[in-house]
Amino acid sequence: MTVAATVPVRAVQTPVRRALKVFFRTPSGLVGLGLLVIVVLCTVFAPYVAPYDPIKYAPIDRMQGPNVHHLLGTDLYGRDLLSRVIYGGRISLAVSTISISLALIFGGWLGVLAGYYLGWVDTVIMRVTDVFLAFPAILLAIALLAFLGGGFWNLTLAIAIAYAAPFTRVVRAAVIRTRDTMYVEASTALGAGDARLLLRHVLPNAAGPVLVELTLRLAYAILAEAALSFLGLGTQPPAPAWGQMIADGRPFLELNPWVSVAPGLAIMVTVLGFNLLGDALRDALDPRLNR
């Protein structure tokens, strides 16, 4: 009786425990998680971490290299680069997080409808999705910003629209794979409605691939935000943004390369963290790999 009583508990807990065990035994995943924790903490507590005001001019300190007072040096206007990199992370992380959340909500629910109902609903949604996937995301975002104009919210909306289609395709595939399982068919036979099937059975069991895609798209969104800011389509000066800082330092690469190198390193570290985390989550959530 003791064995019979413990079997259901182990059957429920084993997949979760196995996924956590695989993740915490993956060094790359822990490194990625650590990098992201450091970046997020620095940006959230930027007023307490940054040593200087990121937009305060100090002409007497202009174009200094790394030194005791300015660990990453200063830019053309004497502003501390370390402080600007830390505050710039707020904009990059905010744009990427909000835009990818909007893309997941809109594109994800379209994928749910297409994968669950199939038929003409699937045909219409996927043909529209194919049209958006035919354009590179960065070019689509540039076209949208040319119509909407620059700025924080327009940049966020453009990136969200550009990355909604990939979520539609990923969620559709996950829902199709889940809707044909035996436990969904059993719930249908017992009279469960569509809303109950989606919320209780289909979506929770389709969350693994979507979670991995979410982490990777966050990295893509940071790169897209940096590229668009580099082109002058993002947040406008004097507010610091990583891409805009790289563009500002481009004329002074020979005189003081740190003006561009510092924000470039911040982008590299953040994107690397998301990629390592996504790879580790994929290994942990895929039963074919962690078995």
Side-chain angles (χ1 to χ4, degrees), residues 10-46:
R10 293 187 62 185
V12 174
Q13 293 181 350
T14 297
V16 177
R17 289 180 177 178
R18 183 187 299 118
L20 292 175
K21 184 181 296 184
V22 172
F23 177 80
F24 284 108
R25 286 183 177 179
T26 307
S28 60
L30 297 179
V31 171
L33 181 62
L35 292 176
L36 292 178
V37 168
I38 294 173
V39 172
V40 171
L41 290 179
C42 287
T43 55
V44 170
F45 298 101

Side-chain angles (χ1 to χ4, degrees), residues 102-134:
L102 293 175
L104 176 61
I105 293 172
F106 180 72
W109 276 110
L110 288 179
V112 170
L113 295 176
Y116 187 77
Y117 291 105
L118 298 177
W120 68 268
V121 177
D122 178 45
T123 301
V124 172
I125 292 176
M126 294 314 298
R127 295 299 75 78
V128 175
T129 301
D130 290 339
V131 172
F132 281 91
L133 290 175

Side-chain angles (χ1 to χ4, degrees), residues 16 25 79 81 101 124 150 155 167 190 195 220 242 265-266 285 287:
V16 177
R25 286 183 177 179
R79 297 173 296 193
L81 287 176
S101 298
V124 172
L155 176 63
F167 278 111
L190 292 174
Y220 293 154
W242 287 341
L265 289 175
L285 296 175

Side-chain angles (χ1 to χ4, degrees), residues 180-206:
D180 295 329
T181 54
M182 295 185 63
Y183 55 84
V184 174
E185 294 178 357
S187 298
T188 303
L190 292 174
D194 291 344
R196 181 179 179 84
L197 288 174
L198 286 172
L199 297 177
R200 294 291 300 273
H201 301 291
V202 176
L203 292 181
N205 290 283

Side-chain angles (χ1 to χ4, degrees), residues 2-282:
T2 304
V3 176
T6 57
V7 168
V9 177
R10 293 187 62 185
V12 174
Q13 293 181 350
T14 297
V16 177
R17 289 180 177 178
R18 183 187 299 118
L20 292 175
K21 184 181 296 184
V22 172
F23 177 80
F24 284 108
R25 286 183 177 179
T26 307
S28 60
L30 297 179
V31 171
L33 181 62
L35 292 176
L36 292 178
V37 168
I38 294 173
V39 172
V40 171
L41 290 179
C42 287
T43 55
V44 170
F45 298 101
Y48 306 100
V49 177
Y52 297 95
D53 188 336
I55 61 174
K56 183 178 180 180
Y57 291 173
I60 194 173
D61 296 328
R62 60 193 301 267
M63 300 304 290
Q64 293 185 7
N67 55 62
V68 176
H69 301 288
H70 303 281
L71 297 181
L72 295 180
T74 59
D75 64 2
L76 178 62
Y77 303 101
R79 297 173 296 193
D80 181 66
L81 287 176
L82 177 59
S83 301
R84 289 183 62 78
V85 166
I86 293 174
Y87 274 90
R90 282 187 158 188
I91 295 177
S92 294
L93 291 178
V95 169
S96 61
T97 302
I98 297 174
S99 62
I100 296 303
S101 298
L102 293 175
L104 176 61
I105 293 172
F106 180 72
W109 276 110
L110 288 179
V112 170
L113 295 176
Y116 187 77
Y117 291 105
L118 298 177
W120 68 268
V121 177
D122 178 45
T123 301
V124 172
I125 292 176
M126 294 314 298
R127 295 299 75 78
V128 175
T129 301
D130 290 339
V131 172
F132 281 91
L133 290 175
F135 298 92
I138 189 66
L139 293 181
L140 181 59
I142 291 174
L144 292 171
L145 288 173
F147 175 75
L148 298 173
F152 179 87
W153 290 110
N154 289 341
L155 176 63
T156 301
L157 180 60
I159 296 176
I161 295 174
Y163 285 115
F167 278 111
T168 301
R169 187 171 289 277
V170 171
V171 173
R172 172 184 176 271
V175 170
I176 289 176
R177 185 173 61 251
T178 306
R179 70 186 294 274
D180 295 329
T181 54
M182 295 185 63
Y183 55 84
V184 174
E185 294 178 357
S187 298
T188 303
L190 292 174
D194 291 344
R196 181 179 179 84
L197 288 174
L198 286 172
L199 297 177
R200 294 291 300 273
H201 301 291
V202 176
L203 292 181
N205 290 283
V210 179
L211 182 60
V212 176
E213 182 72 12
L214 178 65
T215 58
L216 298 178
R217 291 295 165 183
L218 283 170
Y220 293 154
I222 288 178
L223 292 175
E225 186 276 334
L228 295 171
S229 296
F230 181 86
L231 297 174
L233 299 175
T235 305
Q236 300 302 310
W242 287 341
Q244 182 256 329
M245 292 174 63
I246 294 176
D248 290 343
R250 185 176 52 175
F252 311 103
L253 288 176
E254 294 184 359
L255 179 62
N256 185 8
W258 280 97
V259 179
S260 293
V261 170
L265 289 175
I267 295 173
M268 183 193 73
V269 169
T270 307
V271 172
L272 178 63
F274 278 118
N275 286 332
L276 292 177
L277 180 62
D279 289 341
L281 287 175
R282 180 201 60 193

